[in-house]
Each structure stands twice: as structure tokens, then as C-alpha cells.
Amino acid sequence: NASVVLTDAIPSMRSDVFNHFKVRASAAKVGTVNVDAYKLDNTASLNSYFPYSTLTAYKLNSTMNTRDLEPEFTTEYEVGTEFGFFNNRIMFEAAAYFQRTTNQTVSVSMPTSTGYSARYINAGTMEGKGIELDLHLTPLLKLGDFQWIVNANATFVDTKVTELAGDATELMLDDSGDNMPIYAVLDEQFPVIKATDWKRDPNGRVVVNASNGMPTAGDLIVVGTTQPKVRLGLTTNFKYKNWSLGATFDYRGGHKTR
């Protein structure tokens, strides 16, 4: 992590309008273990529904555990800058980052015919990049004892799955029974929602069942992602002597479904 305030290093850069200029850069690598303690071995729990009188029975837990899991590692690089105007009454900050996570540990669904419903695996690699912007107006307006303070921020995020375990092209992460399971799909945003599309002819028209007149169900397709790509925030605060009134606006978008 390194930073330098250029307006301190080069005082001649300062003026009545422009008074603060800082640049910074950082690099970090963090390891994470996303499984709880004692989750490397398969365990059994007491089965209270065993049908034979007072005999004790045990059943395997529904999640398959394995000792082959490796820790996740996230490497991130970030650069940023800060500008201050009018004695820091106006502050603007901008940052860009790149993040890479390897050995992503996730719980994936399994056919219940195996005796389990899910298992933990090192699913693959995910890469993300983004831009963060912040604007602080402290205050935007000042009239005697009255102040109007405004803070705004915007974040733009792009996260993709770049590698999956083995030769897999997709992994089901969650199937809650609502016909819209969650997947990790190679070269797609993470994570994505899949839903059943209508069966269509080569011209894209929906195929209708001739016997009942209803549309025919087709294959699962990617319809969106659960994570917003755009986040906008705005806070405003009115102050008068010992009184204060504030409001907050928050927007998250870019993860629509079709």
C-alpha cells in the first residue's frame, strides 16, 4: 500500500481553488477458508424417526464433505486518486480495482439418489473489476446557521467466472424449488439465474401444443444475475443550529431478468 499527497510534496500546485491532490495504489492477497470447523469429514446425526422402538439409529448429514478442499485466495490490485477544491469543501475520489479469486469454495447441488443433497468443492476462478466514485459537498450551501451537505457515490462492477472445476461449463449452486436455480456459468456473470424458456421454432416463435393450445416448455436459459452491476447512492443532510434532517437514496441495477 503506497500513497502520496502531491499538494504536500509540491506546494506550488495549490491555489485558492485547488488545494488537495492525492494518488494511491495497493496490492493485497488474502486467504480464506469458507467451510466451518469439522466440515472436512462426513458426519452422522441422531435419527429421531427410526421406526424400531428404542433402538438408536444415525443418519448421514445431507452435505458431502471432503478433505481435498484448498483455501480460497483473493488477489486484488487498486489505484485511486483524491481531489480537493475550495479548502476541501468539494472532495472527489475515484478508484479502480481488479480482483481475482482462485479455488472458490461453493456448495453445489447433488442428486438426492446419491444419499446427499449438496457438497463443497473448489469450483474454479472468478475475476472482477470495477470503478468507485465518491463526491462530497461539505457543505453545498451555507447561509448563517444553515448548512446543506450532500454526498454521492457510484460503483460499477463486472464479475465473471473464468474457470470451473474439471471440464465443467456450469455448476448449480442453489435450487430452492422455485424453478429459477442459481448457477456459476463459465464466461458469464457470477452468479446467474436460469429459468425455463418457451420452446421456439427456427424463427423464434413460441411453439404451441396442438392438443391444449398452451405454450411448450423448452430448455433452461440464463435470464439474469443476482448481483447488481451498478450501485448509486445519495445522502443529503440539512442542518440548522442543533437540528438536523437527512435523507438517503439507494439504487441497485443491472441485474434484471428477462
Side-chain angles (χ1 to χ4, degrees):
N1 190 347
S3 64
V4 58
V5 180
L6 293 175
T7 44
D8 288 345
I10 311 174
S12 59
M13 295 180 63
R14 297 180 184 174
S15 68
D16 292 338
V17 175
F18 181 64
N19 65 276
H20 178 75
F21 180 30
K22 177 181 179 179
V23 292
R24 54 185 171 84
S26 64
K29 185 173 183 179
V30 179
T32 307
V33 178
N34 280 337
V35 292
D36 296 331
Y38 311 110
K39 290 295 185 180
L40 298 180
D41 292 313
N42 294 312
T43 58
S45 58
L46 187 65
N47 188 351
S48 59
Y49 300 102
F50 199 74
Y52 296 105
S53 185
T54 58
L55 293 177
T56 299
Y58 292 86
K59 62 178 180 179
L60 287 173
N61 289 329
S62 59
T63 299
M64 177 186 287
N65 300 318
T66 175
R67 286 179 171 267
D68 296 331
L69 289 177
E70 297 182 7
E72 285 187 18
F73 283 100
T74 299
T75 304
E76 182 172 344
Y77 304 95
E78 181 175 325
V79 294
T81 185
E82 300 175 7
F83 299 92
F85 302 90
F86 301 106
N87 199 26
N88 291 342
R89 184 169 176 175
I90 300 175
M91 288 290 295
F92 176 73
E93 301 178 28
Y97 71 88
F98 173 81
Q99 187 180 80
R100 189 172 190 263
T101 301
T102 58
N103 291 329
Q104 183 104 21
T105 306
V106 296
S107 174
V108 297
S109 300
M110 294 179 62
T112 53
S113 58
T114 63
Y116 300 94
S117 61
R119 63 180 176 135
Y120 283 101
I121 66 168
N122 292 123
T125 301
M126 182 176 66
E127 293 183 353
K129 55 186 177 181
I131 296 176
E132 299 173 348
L133 306 173
D134 287 278
L135 177 64
H136 308 280
L137 305 175
T138 54
L140 174 62
L141 179 65
K142 184 175 182 179
L143 298 172
D145 293 328
F146 174 79
Q147 292 187 66
W148 180 18
I149 299 172
V150 176
N151 296 303
N153 61 78
T155 302
F156 306 91
V157 179
D158 182 21
T159 304
K160 282 189 176 182
V161 177
T162 59
E163 182 183 347
L164 286 176
D167 57 355
T169 58
E170 64 179 35
L171 292 173
M172 181 188 291
L173 304 179
D174 179 63
D175 183 8
S176 302
D178 55 4
N179 296 320
M180 294 187 71
I182 306 299
Y183 281 80
V185 180
L186 190 64
D187 296 326
E188 293 282 354
Q189 299 292 315
F190 177 84
V192 296
I193 304 171
K194 279 195 168 188
T196 303
D197 190 19
W198 300 122
K199 190 174 182 179
R200 302 176 186 273
D201 66 13
N203 295 322
R205 295 172 297 191
V206 176
V207 176
V208 176
N209 189 315
S211 62
N212 56 23
M214 298 296 292
T216 305
D219 299 324
L220 283 173
I221 62 170
V222 174
V223 296
T225 178
T226 63
Q227 297 298 319
K229 299 177 67 176
V230 179
R231 302 178 185 182
L232 304 177
L234 178 68
T235 60
T236 182
N237 198 296
F238 300 95
K239 290 185 177 181
Y240 179 73
K241 294 186 177 181
N242 294 326
W243 296 86
S244 178
L245 176 64
T248 300
F249 166 81
D250 183 72
Y251 168 81
R252 300 188 178 194
H255 54 310
K256 63 181 181 181
T257 58
R258 62 178 182 178

